[in-house]
Each structure stands twice: as structure tokens, then as C-alpha cells.
Amino acid sequence: ILKPAHKCSEEEFYQTIDTNLKTSFSVTRAVGEHLKDSSVVLMSTAAASIGLANHELIAAAKSGVEGLARSAAKTYARKNLRFNTPLTSRITSNEIVRKASEKMHTLQRIGKPKDISNMIKFLINPENNWITGQNFIVDGGLSSTK
């Protein structure tokens, strides 16, 4: 839902929070109760860290996910549970939106699923067990360059 906050309904707000923040919290709660020696990867978006017009709903929800990952990393460290977020923005299939997004990225393209899955594989690899509570930005330079 990409529109200004004042045009978002309460139903859209709750739907966005339920889909993004509540699901991440539910996963964290279940993992915290049942697992140990594991890696949890939660998904976020560049909109949580930089100001993007009309992204208020998703920025609010995903900022919560990022805070959740940092706090859970500390809470569950004793169980050797690691929490991280590879960040990316979801782009719709609308050709105009896609082309605009490509121009915003330093690499002049939007991310492919493999771009994100490579980071997820890295984070869940047991050899990388010293990484926790981090937000990894995988956004083609969108949030770090102008």
C-alpha cells in the first residue's frame, strides 16, 4: 500500500501491521520457545531507514521488525538464537513503478530473488554464527547512495 498516511484507512493500517510485524513477532515467539542454536531471518525494507514518499504504512511496520530483530538477538542470545534482517523493497509488477525504482537504485535495476536469497543463505550458515541483531541492507545501493 503505497500512499500518504492521511489516505490510509485504519483497516489498511492493521492489515499491514498484521502481515508484517505481527507475523515476525509470532515467528520470534515460537522460535524463542522451541529452538536453540539457530538463525532467524526476518524481512524488512529500505523504507524503514530512509524517507520514501508514500511508504508510511510499510515503514512503520518494518521499523518494528528491525527493532524486534535487535531486541530478540539480545533476549535469546543465551539459547544461541541469532536474529537478522536482509533489507529490500518490494516492487510491484507495474511497469512505470518498476522503471522508476530502477532509476532510484545505484545499480540501475531492482533486486532479483537470488540477490536476497544469497544473503539469507549467508545468515543461516552455521559458520557465520557470530552475527546477530544486525540489519543487512540488500537494496542495490538505494539507501546508501544519492
Side-chain angles (χ1 to χ4, degrees), residues 113-125:
K114 190 74 169 172
D115 297 325
I116 305 308
S117 66
N118 285 337
M119 177 55 79
I120 293 171
K121 285 193 304 191
F122 173 79
L123 291 171
I124 63 174
N125 183 331

Side-chain angles (χ1 to χ4, degrees), residues 23-33 40 42 68-69 72 76 83:
T23 56
S24 294
F25 188 86
S26 295
V27 166
T28 301
R29 183 174 44 208
V31 166
E33 184 174 350
V40 178
L42 303 173
L68 171 64
Y76 298 108
F83 291 80

